[in-house]
Amino acid sequence: MVKERKYGRVIHVTTRVVYGTIAQVEAALQVSPVSRTINTYGVERNNLTVRQHARRLGRKVNAFSKEPDYLEHQLTLALAYYHFVVPHRSLRQRLPHSLPTKGRNGSRKQWKPVTSAMAAGLTDHVWTMDELLSFRVPPKHLWC
C-alpha cells in the first residue's frame, strides 16, 4: 500500500504488487476469510506485538544489541514467550461446565485459556515462564 499524505492526513491510497503477480494476489484475496482488499493491518499488528515484547526493537529506547546474535536470542525468547506463555483472549474456549474457584466464594471459571502454540497443536497447555526457560531445545541439525 502506498499512502499519499497531506498535512499528516492520508488523502489517497494506492496499491502495488511487490511479490508475485496481480492474478496471484487477486486469487489470494478471493479465498481470504478476513478481507477482500489489500491491507497492512496484519503486518502492523505483528510489528507492534514484537515491539511490545522485545524492548530492543521499541522506539526511542536505550536498549540495543551490539551483536546481531544477541538481538536474535532476545527475539527468540520474546516470540517463544508470546506464543507459549501468553494466553490470547480471542483463542479461549468456553468450558462445558463452569468450574469453582476459591471454594464456594470465588467466581466460577467459564473459559479455558489458550495460547497460539496450543491452537497450532504444538502443546496441550499454557506454559509457565519456568517451563519456557528450562525447555531444552533440540540440536539445530534435527530441526533445520
Side-chain angles (χ1 to χ4, degrees):
M1 298 190 79
V2 180
K3 297 177 182 178
E4 186 180 331
R5 298 176 187 270
K6 187 172 185 177
Y7 304 116
R9 299 184 80 100
V10 176
I11 58 171
H12 185 66
V13 178
T14 58
T15 59
R16 65 183 165 106
V17 176
V18 179
Y19 297 106
T21 64
I22 293 174
Q24 289 172 322
V25 171
E26 288 173 353
L29 288 172
Q30 289 299 317
V31 297
S32 171
V34 179
S35 178
R36 297 285 183 244
T37 60
I38 296 174
N39 290 298
T40 60
Y41 67 85
V43 173
E44 295 300 332
R45 176 66 243 184
N46 187 55
N47 289 345
L48 176 61
T49 299
V50 170
R51 278 198 312 272
Q52 287 175 326
H53 286 90
R55 183 169 179 235
R56 294 167 193 236
L57 295 179
R59 295 183 177 158
K60 298 181 181 179
V61 296
N62 62 359
F64 65 95
S65 297
K66 290 183 179 179
E67 300 291 328
D69 285 347
Y70 295 145
L71 176 62
E72 183 180 344
H73 297 320
Q74 201 271 334
L75 276 175
T76 301
L77 180 61
L79 291 174
Y81 171 79
Y82 181 74
H83 291 299
F84 286 87
V85 178
V86 178
H88 298 278
R89 186 172 181 168
S90 64
L91 298 174
R92 69 185 181 172
Q93 298 171 350
R94 184 174 287 278
L95 294 171
H97 304 288
S98 61
L99 302 173
T101 59
K102 297 185 181 178
R104 297 177 190 206
N105 299 330
S107 59
R108 298 185 67 82
K109 182 177 178 180
Q110 298 180 7
W111 299 95
K112 174 186 175 188
V114 178
T115 66
S116 53
M118 290 169 67
L122 299 175
T123 185
D124 62 352
H125 67 283
V126 177
W127 286 22
T128 64
M129 195 62 185
D130 191 42
E131 278 181 289
L132 179 67
L133 293 175
S134 61
F135 179 74
R136 187 175 171 107
V137 179
K140 227 176 192 178
H141 71 276
L142 294 176
W143 49 273
C144 281

